[in-house]
PDB file of all heavy atoms in Angstrom:
ATOM      1  N   LEU E  68      -1.244   3.818 -20.668  1.00 93.00           N
ATOM      2  CA  LEU E  68      -1.851   4.825 -21.552  1.00 93.00           C
ATOM      3  C   LEU E  68      -3.320   4.970 -21.186  1.00 93.00           C
ATOM      4  O   LEU E  68      -3.844   4.309 -20.315  1.00 93.00           O
ATOM      5  CB  LEU E  68      -1.739   4.339 -23.022  1.00 93.00           C
ATOM      6  CG  LEU E  68      -0.268   4.069 -23.469  1.00 93.00           C
ATOM      7  CD1 LEU E  68      -0.316   3.614 -24.959  1.00 93.00           C
ATOM      8  CD2 LEU E  68       0.555   5.283 -23.281  1.00 93.00           C
ATOM      9  N   TRP E  69      -4.009   5.855 -21.920  1.00 89.00           N
ATOM     10  CA  TRP E  69      -5.381   6.246 -21.656  1.00 89.00           C
ATOM     11  C   TRP E  69      -6.308   5.040 -21.549  1.00 89.00           C
ATOM     12  O   TRP E  69      -7.285   5.065 -20.860  1.00 89.00           O
ATOM     13  CB  TRP E  69      -5.836   7.154 -22.768  1.00 89.00           C
ATOM     14  CG  TRP E  69      -5.873   6.487 -24.153  1.00 89.00           C
ATOM     15  CD1 TRP E  69      -4.801   6.295 -24.972  1.00 89.00           C
ATOM     16  CD2 TRP E  69      -7.002   5.843 -24.725  1.00 89.00           C
ATOM     17  NE1 TRP E  69      -5.207   5.580 -26.057  1.00 89.00           N
ATOM     18  CE2 TRP E  69      -6.578   5.326 -25.994  1.00 89.00           C
ATOM     19  CE3 TRP E  69      -8.400   5.666 -24.427  1.00 89.00           C
ATOM     20  CZ2 TRP E  69      -7.352   4.614 -26.841  1.00 89.00           C
ATOM     21  CZ3 TRP E  69      -9.191   5.020 -25.279  1.00 89.00           C
ATOM     22  CH2 TRP E  69      -8.697   4.480 -26.482  1.00 89.00           C
ATOM     23  N   ASP E  70      -6.019   3.922 -22.359  1.00 90.00           N
ATOM     24  CA  ASP E  70      -6.916   2.770 -22.403  1.00 90.00           C
ATOM     25  C   ASP E  70      -6.517   1.672 -21.453  1.00 90.00           C
ATOM     26  O   ASP E  70      -7.056   0.575 -21.461  1.00 90.00           O
ATOM     27  CB  ASP E  70      -6.999   2.244 -23.844  1.00 90.00           C
ATOM     28  CG  ASP E  70      -5.621   1.823 -24.369  1.00 90.00           C
ATOM     29  OD1 ASP E  70      -4.588   2.018 -23.659  1.00 90.00           O
ATOM     30  OD2 ASP E  70      -5.569   1.233 -25.461  1.00 90.00           O
ATOM     31  N   GLY E  71      -5.531   1.969 -20.561  1.00 92.00           N
ATOM     32  CA  GLY E  71      -5.101   0.968 -19.626  1.00 92.00           C
ATOM     33  C   GLY E  71      -3.903   0.099 -20.158  1.00 92.00           C
ATOM     34  O   GLY E  71      -3.346  -0.695 -19.373  1.00 92.00           O
ATOM     35  N   SER E  72      -3.660   0.199 -21.429  1.00 93.00           N
ATOM     36  CA  SER E  72      -2.580  -0.652 -21.998  1.00 93.00           C
ATOM     37  C   SER E  72      -1.233  -0.114 -21.590  1.00 93.00           C
ATOM     38  O   SER E  72      -1.116   1.085 -21.218  1.00 93.00           O
ATOM     39  CB  SER E  72      -2.703  -0.702 -23.487  1.00 93.00           C
ATOM     40  OG  SER E  72      -2.463   0.548 -24.045  1.00 93.00           O
ATOM     41  N   GLU E  73      -0.173  -0.957 -21.696  1.00 95.00           N
ATOM     42  CA  GLU E  73       1.152  -0.478 -21.319  1.00 95.00           C
ATOM     43  C   GLU E  73       1.977  -0.371 -22.633  1.00 95.00           C
ATOM     44  O   GLU E  73       1.761  -1.018 -23.625  1.00 95.00           O
ATOM     45  CB  GLU E  73       1.882  -1.522 -20.429  1.00 95.00           C
ATOM     46  CG  GLU E  73       1.326  -1.439 -19.010  1.00 95.00           C
ATOM     47  CD  GLU E  73       2.145  -2.284 -18.050  1.00 95.00           C
ATOM     48  OE1 GLU E  73       3.257  -2.742 -18.419  1.00 95.00           O
ATOM     49  OE2 GLU E  73       1.653  -2.528 -16.933  1.00 95.00           O
ATOM     50  N   SER E  74       2.905   0.576 -22.575  1.00 96.00           N
ATOM     51  CA  SER E  74       3.817   0.808 -23.705  1.00 96.00           C
ATOM     52  C   SER E  74       5.149   1.174 -23.150  1.00 96.00           C
ATOM     53  O   SER E  74       5.330   1.569 -22.012  1.00 96.00           O
ATOM     54  CB  SER E  74       3.224   1.955 -24.524  1.00 96.00           C
ATOM     55  OG  SER E  74       4.037   2.101 -25.692  1.00 96.00           O
ATOM     56  N   TRP E  75       6.204   1.042 -24.014  1.00 97.00           N
ATOM     57  CA  TRP E  75       7.508   1.531 -23.639  1.00 97.00           C
ATOM     58  C   TRP E  75       7.627   3.041 -23.941  1.00 97.00           C
ATOM     59  O   TRP E  75       7.257   3.491 -24.992  1.00 97.00           O
ATOM     60  CB  TRP E  75       8.621   0.823 -24.441  1.00 97.00           C
ATOM     61  CG  TRP E  75       8.761  -0.667 -24.100  1.00 97.00           C
ATOM     62  CD1 TRP E  75       8.241  -1.737 -24.777  1.00 97.00           C
ATOM     63  CD2 TRP E  75       9.536  -1.200 -23.041  1.00 97.00           C
ATOM     64  NE1 TRP E  75       8.625  -2.894 -24.180  1.00 97.00           N
ATOM     65  CE2 TRP E  75       9.386  -2.587 -23.103  1.00 97.00           C
ATOM     66  CE3 TRP E  75      10.276  -0.647 -22.018  1.00 97.00           C
ATOM     67  CZ2 TRP E  75      10.040  -3.419 -22.201  1.00 97.00           C
ATOM     68  CZ3 TRP E  75      10.851  -1.473 -21.123  1.00 97.00           C
ATOM     69  CH2 TRP E  75      10.756  -2.838 -21.142  1.00 97.00           C
ATOM     70  N   LEU E  76       8.148   3.750 -22.931  1.00 97.00           N
ATOM     71  CA  LEU E  76       8.464   5.123 -23.222  1.00 97.00           C
ATOM     72  C   LEU E  76       9.941   5.286 -23.368  1.00 97.00           C
ATOM     73  O   LEU E  76      10.726   4.792 -22.514  1.00 97.00           O
ATOM     74  CB  LEU E  76       7.976   5.991 -21.962  1.00 97.00           C
ATOM     75  CG  LEU E  76       7.922   7.448 -22.192  1.00 97.00           C
ATOM     76  CD1 LEU E  76       6.687   7.766 -23.096  1.00 97.00           C
ATOM     77  CD2 LEU E  76       7.763   8.182 -20.860  1.00 97.00           C
ATOM     78  N   VAL E  77      10.365   5.876 -24.475  1.00 97.00           N
ATOM     79  CA  VAL E  77      11.781   6.023 -24.738  1.00 97.00           C
ATOM     80  C   VAL E  77      12.170   7.385 -24.421  1.00 97.00           C
ATOM     81  O   VAL E  77      11.703   8.339 -25.037  1.00 97.00           O
ATOM     82  CB  VAL E  77      12.113   5.630 -26.190  1.00 97.00           C
ATOM     83  CG1 VAL E  77      13.635   5.582 -26.415  1.00 97.00           C
ATOM     84  CG2 VAL E  77      11.489   4.264 -26.508  1.00 97.00           C
ATOM     85  N   THR E  78      13.062   7.618 -23.445  1.00 96.00           N
ATOM     86  CA  THR E  78      13.277   8.951 -22.899  1.00 96.00           C
ATOM     87  C   THR E  78      14.559   9.594 -23.346  1.00 96.00           C
ATOM     88  O   THR E  78      14.731  10.761 -23.252  1.00 96.00           O
ATOM     89  CB  THR E  78      13.228   8.932 -21.387  1.00 96.00           C
ATOM     90  OG1 THR E  78      14.293   8.120 -20.945  1.00 96.00           O
ATOM     91  CG2 THR E  78      11.921   8.459 -20.843  1.00 96.00           C
ATOM     92  N   ARG E  79      15.494   8.785 -23.833  1.00 97.00           N
ATOM     93  CA  ARG E  79      16.805   9.387 -24.159  1.00 97.00           C
ATOM     94  C   ARG E  79      16.989   9.543 -25.689  1.00 97.00           C
ATOM     95  O   ARG E  79      16.524   8.758 -26.464  1.00 97.00           O
ATOM     96  CB  ARG E  79      17.936   8.555 -23.549  1.00 97.00           C
ATOM     97  CG  ARG E  79      17.965   8.681 -22.023  1.00 97.00           C
ATOM     98  CD  ARG E  79      19.204   8.134 -21.407  1.00 97.00           C
ATOM     99  NE  ARG E  79      19.039   8.096 -19.947  1.00 97.00           N
ATOM    100  CZ  ARG E  79      19.858   7.394 -19.142  1.00 97.00           C
ATOM    101  NH1 ARG E  79      20.849   6.728 -19.634  1.00 97.00           N
ATOM    102  NH2 ARG E  79      19.619   7.414 -17.825  1.00 97.00           N
ATOM    103  N   TYR E  80      17.774  10.518 -26.015  1.00 97.00           N
ATOM    104  CA  TYR E  80      17.951  10.931 -27.431  1.00 97.00           C
ATOM    105  C   TYR E  80      18.520   9.828 -28.274  1.00 97.00           C
ATOM    106  O   TYR E  80      18.012   9.549 -29.357  1.00 97.00           O
ATOM    107  CB  TYR E  80      18.957  12.111 -27.370  1.00 97.00           C
ATOM    108  CG  TYR E  80      19.379  12.619 -28.731  1.00 97.00           C
ATOM    109  CD1 TYR E  80      18.638  13.604 -29.399  1.00 97.00           C
ATOM    110  CD2 TYR E  80      20.605  12.216 -29.279  1.00 97.00           C
ATOM    111  CE1 TYR E  80      19.041  14.103 -30.613  1.00 97.00           C
ATOM    112  CE2 TYR E  80      21.036  12.736 -30.500  1.00 97.00           C
ATOM    113  CZ  TYR E  80      20.211  13.680 -31.181  1.00 97.00           C
ATOM    114  OH  TYR E  80      20.662  14.170 -32.345  1.00 97.00           O
ATOM    115  N   ALA E  81      19.578   9.116 -27.834  1.00 97.00           N
ATOM    116  CA  ALA E  81      20.243   8.127 -28.652  1.00 97.00           C
ATOM    117  C   ALA E  81      19.282   7.025 -28.996  1.00 97.00           C
ATOM    118  O   ALA E  81      19.154   6.551 -30.127  1.00 97.00           O
ATOM    119  CB  ALA E  81      21.485   7.613 -27.966  1.00 97.00           C
ATOM    120  N   GLU E  82      18.594   6.512 -28.011  1.00 97.00           N
ATOM    121  CA  GLU E  82      17.637   5.401 -28.166  1.00 97.00           C
ATOM    122  C   GLU E  82      16.435   5.819 -28.990  1.00 97.00           C
ATOM    123  O   GLU E  82      15.878   5.038 -29.805  1.00 97.00           O
ATOM    124  CB  GLU E  82      17.157   4.814 -26.846  1.00 97.00           C
ATOM    125  CG  GLU E  82      18.233   3.967 -26.132  1.00 97.00           C
ATOM    126  CD  GLU E  82      19.314   4.720 -25.423  1.00 97.00           C
ATOM    127  OE1 GLU E  82      19.185   5.978 -25.326  1.00 97.00           O
ATOM    128  OE2 GLU E  82      20.345   4.097 -25.029  1.00 97.00           O
ATOM    129  N   GLN E  83      16.003   7.063 -28.837  1.00 97.00           N
ATOM    130  CA  GLN E  83      14.898   7.581 -29.641  1.00 97.00           C
ATOM    131  C   GLN E  83      15.265   7.545 -31.121  1.00 97.00           C
ATOM    132  O   GLN E  83      14.538   7.119 -31.952  1.00 97.00           O
ATOM    133  CB  GLN E  83      14.542   9.019 -29.230  1.00 97.00           C
ATOM    134  CG  GLN E  83      13.824   9.100 -27.937  1.00 97.00           C
ATOM    135  CD  GLN E  83      13.273  10.510 -27.605  1.00 97.00           C
ATOM    136  OE1 GLN E  83      13.489  11.454 -28.389  1.00 97.00           O
ATOM    137  NE2 GLN E  83      12.618  10.649 -26.510  1.00 97.00           N
ATOM    138  N   ARG E  84      16.493   8.055 -31.432  1.00 97.00           N
ATOM    139  CA  ARG E  84      16.934   8.065 -32.828  1.00 97.00           C
ATOM    140  C   ARG E  84      17.090   6.657 -33.365  1.00 97.00           C
ATOM    141  O   ARG E  84      16.718   6.364 -34.480  1.00 97.00           O
ATOM    142  CB  ARG E  84      18.236   8.887 -32.952  1.00 97.00           C
ATOM    143  CG  ARG E  84      18.073  10.350 -32.768  1.00 97.00           C
ATOM    144  CD  ARG E  84      19.052  11.269 -33.423  1.00 97.00           C
ATOM    145  NE  ARG E  84      20.229  10.699 -34.021  1.00 97.00           N
ATOM    146  CZ  ARG E  84      20.964  11.392 -34.876  1.00 97.00           C
ATOM    147  NH1 ARG E  84      20.654  12.619 -35.223  1.00 97.00           N
ATOM    148  NH2 ARG E  84      22.072  10.870 -35.374  1.00 97.00           N
ATOM    149  N   ALA E  85      17.666   5.782 -32.517  1.00 97.00           N
ATOM    150  CA  ALA E  85      17.902   4.394 -32.981  1.00 97.00           C
ATOM    151  C   ALA E  85      16.568   3.752 -33.377  1.00 97.00           C
ATOM    152  O   ALA E  85      16.441   3.097 -34.399  1.00 97.00           O
ATOM    153  CB  ALA E  85      18.652   3.618 -31.918  1.00 97.00           C
ATOM    154  N   LEU E  86      15.555   3.932 -32.466  1.00 97.00           N
ATOM    155  CA  LEU E  86      14.321   3.221 -32.707  1.00 97.00           C
ATOM    156  C   LEU E  86      13.501   3.903 -33.864  1.00 97.00           C
ATOM    157  O   LEU E  86      12.869   3.215 -34.641  1.00 97.00           O
ATOM    158  CB  LEU E  86      13.424   3.197 -31.469  1.00 97.00           C
ATOM    159  CG  LEU E  86      13.980   2.183 -30.395  1.00 97.00           C
ATOM    160  CD1 LEU E  86      13.294   2.372 -29.052  1.00 97.00           C
ATOM    161  CD2 LEU E  86      13.771   0.737 -30.856  1.00 97.00           C
ATOM    162  N   LEU E  87      13.562   5.213 -33.938  1.00 97.00           N
ATOM    163  CA  LEU E  87      12.831   5.895 -35.032  1.00 97.00           C
ATOM    164  C   LEU E  87      13.465   5.557 -36.392  1.00 97.00           C
ATOM    165  O   LEU E  87      12.763   5.605 -37.441  1.00 97.00           O
ATOM    166  CB  LEU E  87      12.795   7.407 -34.799  1.00 97.00           C
ATOM    167  CG  LEU E  87      11.871   7.895 -33.711  1.00 97.00           C
ATOM    168  CD1 LEU E  87      12.090   9.356 -33.399  1.00 97.00           C
ATOM    169  CD2 LEU E  87      10.410   7.683 -34.125  1.00 97.00           C
ATOM    170  N   GLY E  88      14.710   5.176 -36.387  1.00 95.00           N
ATOM    171  CA  GLY E  88      15.437   4.832 -37.638  1.00 95.00           C
ATOM    172  C   GLY E  88      15.415   3.303 -37.878  1.00 95.00           C
ATOM    173  O   GLY E  88      16.045   2.882 -38.830  1.00 95.00           O
ATOM    174  N   ASP E  89      14.738   2.555 -37.014  1.00 96.00           N
ATOM    175  CA  ASP E  89      14.785   1.063 -37.105  1.00 96.00           C
ATOM    176  C   ASP E  89      13.619   0.548 -37.975  1.00 96.00           C
ATOM    177  O   ASP E  89      12.424   0.795 -37.660  1.00 96.00           O
ATOM    178  CB  ASP E  89      14.738   0.500 -35.715  1.00 96.00           C
ATOM    179  CG  ASP E  89      15.116  -0.985 -35.688  1.00 96.00           C
ATOM    180  OD1 ASP E  89      14.658  -1.753 -36.553  1.00 96.00           O
ATOM    181  OD2 ASP E  89      15.879  -1.350 -34.781  1.00 96.00           O
ATOM    182  N   PRO E  90      13.850  -0.214 -39.040  1.00 94.00           N
ATOM    183  CA  PRO E  90      12.771  -0.694 -39.899  1.00 94.00           C
ATOM    184  C   PRO E  90      11.904  -1.732 -39.153  1.00 94.00           C
ATOM    185  O   PRO E  90      10.837  -2.103 -39.626  1.00 94.00           O
ATOM    186  CB  PRO E  90      13.501  -1.355 -41.071  1.00 94.00           C
ATOM    187  CG  PRO E  90      14.902  -1.643 -40.663  1.00 94.00           C
ATOM    188  CD  PRO E  90      15.186  -0.576 -39.588  1.00 94.00           C
TER     189      PRO E  90
END
Side-chain angles (χ1 to χ4, degrees):
Chain E
L68 305 182
W69 65 278
D70 59 354
S72 67
E73 286 188 13
S74 183
W75 290 99
L76 196 72
V77 187
T78 61
R79 289 190 190 168
Y80 176 86
E82 284 77 11
Q83 287 189 357
R84 288 207 349 166
L86 286 168
L87 285 170
D89 193 316

